[in-house]
Amino acid sequence: MNNAPIGVYDSGIGGLSVWDQIHRHLPDESLIYLGDGKNCPYGGRSREDITRFAEEAVEELLRHGVKMVVVGCNTATTAAIEHLRSRWSEMPIVGLEPAVKPACLTTQTHRIAVLATEHSLASDMFLRTAARYSEDVEVVKVVGEGFVELVEGCDEFGDKEYEVVRRVVEPLMDKGIDRVVLGCTHYPFLRPLIERVIGNRGIEVIDSGAAVARRVEWLLERYDMRAEQGATPTFEFLTFADEEYRQRLVRKADVLLARAANFDVRK
Ligand code: DGL
């Protein structure tokens, strides 16, 4: 048993989509979220830069006493996870990978699309995973151009934001795909817009949030690190940007917490 918090880290706001899934799945666990904010977006940056940011983030989370770190960022995972795991080999560090496996295993048309950042799609880690599961599946890779900026820029999406999403997603519609994998943790916040473009074409949108939450649970069990049952969890928010940005993380998380609470009531 261990009531210390779990640290969740991302380049910015996106990892809150993972934070949300962990909270829903493990409601007794306290969480500390670190949204870099200062160096976001990571997508077009070098591996060295991203590794340095990720290292600073883990150091900061450890100063706050976390028992485990979830790198809630596909880009930072592809760039830095091996380095982080070798530097902090005594602590479980969970990474994020696009849900290529479930998409490849369930596609009927044998064609899937993966939306992610430039860095993730070009990484060895992604290419290895794609090659492993996509023997008879064609994987269409697409950078979600402008998506991270949309999520960082505002919380309410209108026609302008829809247009940015439509420009990227619509060209996929005549490619014969039946799965769209969201390979960046910012993208689940754009899911309503992505699904609006897809309409009723029977294309399933998949992200990795729930699978990561299950993996976190599995590791907590394995290392006997679960919080006490019925414990009152605490939520803390950190950033390398300014107080205004930190407040934005708090507000966004509040909305997610309210939705999670409603979800429980309806169950
Ligand atoms: N949320 C991130 C990811 O999952 C990073 C986006 C970015 O900073 O470019 O890839």
Side-chain angles (χ1 to χ4, degrees):
M1 195 123 43
N2 185 337
N3 281 346
I6 297 169
V8 183
Y9 151 67
D10 179 46
S11 65
I13 285 167
L16 283 173
S17 62
V18 177
W19 176 95
D20 181 42
Q21 291 295 325
I22 295 173
H23 168 63
R24 284 176 187 239
H25 197 67
L26 298 160
D28 297 330
E29 297 294 333
S30 291
L31 304 173
I32 299 192
Y33 184 81
L34 193 157
D36 177 336
K38 188 169 142 203
N39 305 296
C40 185
Y42 284 4
R45 289 184 181 271
S46 71
R47 182 174 191 162
E48 292 69 32
D49 279 352
I50 300 168
T51 302
R52 187 160 43 84
F53 303 146
E55 206 164 20
E56 283 166 15
V58 175
E59 282 167 3
E60 183 65 12
L61 288 168
L62 282 170
R63 273 194 286 276
H64 284 76
V66 298
K67 61 185 171 188
M68 175 193 282
V69 167
V70 179
V71 180
C73 175
N74 294 260
T75 309
T77 299
T78 56
I81 198 82
E82 283 163 20
H83 176 76
L84 299 177
R85 284 184 179 143
S86 70
R87 179 161 167 201
W88 287 286
S89 54
E90 73 291 352
M91 173 178 65
I93 302 183
V94 180
L96 248 277
E97 274 200 77
V100 172
K101 180 180 170 186
C104 285
L105 293 178
T106 57
T107 175
Q108 302 293 312
T109 63
H110 296 268
R111 278 200 194 148
I112 67 163
V114 180
L115 281 169
T117 66
E118 196 187 327
H119 191 284
S120 291
L121 291 175
S123 69
D124 290 346
M125 184 182 276
F126 172 74
L127 296 174
R128 270 202 311 268
T129 310
R132 189 175 327 138
Y133 297 108
S134 63
E135 210 172 286
D136 60 344
V137 176
E138 189 184 330
V139 179
V140 182
K141 297 185 284 173
V142 192
V143 175
E145 208 63 66
F147 284 17
V148 171
E149 289 80 353
L150 282 188
V151 175
E152 291 290 320
C154 62
D155 295 317
E156 302 286 327
F157 303 125
D159 291 348
K160 210 174 88 214
E161 289 76 23
Y162 176 71
E163 193 43 35
V164 174
V165 171
R166 194 194 59 74
R167 226 177 294 146
V168 173
V169 177
E170 195 149 278
L172 295 172
M173 297 298 100
D174 59 6
K175 297 257 187 291
I177 57 157
D178 64 352
R179 300 284 181 272
V180 172
V181 176
L182 304 184
C184 167
T185 55
H186 280 70
Y187 300 176
F189 288 111
L190 298 172
R191 189 186 262 264
L193 300 185
I194 294 168
E195 287 180 340
R196 202 171 122 201
V197 178
I198 290 174
N200 56 8
R201 291 183 174 91
I203 297 172
E204 197 183 328
V205 180
I206 307 176
D207 70 58
S208 317
V212 168
R214 287 195 298 273
R215 173 82 185 148
V216 170
E217 180 180 30
W218 187 85
L219 285 166
L220 291 175
E221 289 289 350
R222 171 159 180 204
Y223 294 107
D224 193 20
M225 276 168 44
R226 279 191 89 132
E228 206 176 323
Q229 225 189 342
T232 307
T234 59
F235 305 115
E236 204 177 326
F237 298 87
L238 308 171
T239 182
F240 293 146
D242 54 14
E243 178 57 19
E244 199 181 318
Y245 190 84
R246 203 187 70 79
Q247 287 301 332
R248 179 124 193 266
L249 295 174
V250 173
R251 283 198 304 276
K252 190 105 182 156
D254 276 346
V255 173
L256 297 172
L257 284 176
R259 274 193 212 146
N262 281 337
F263 175 76
D264 281 340
V265 170
R266 278 202 294 273
K267 254 203 313 192

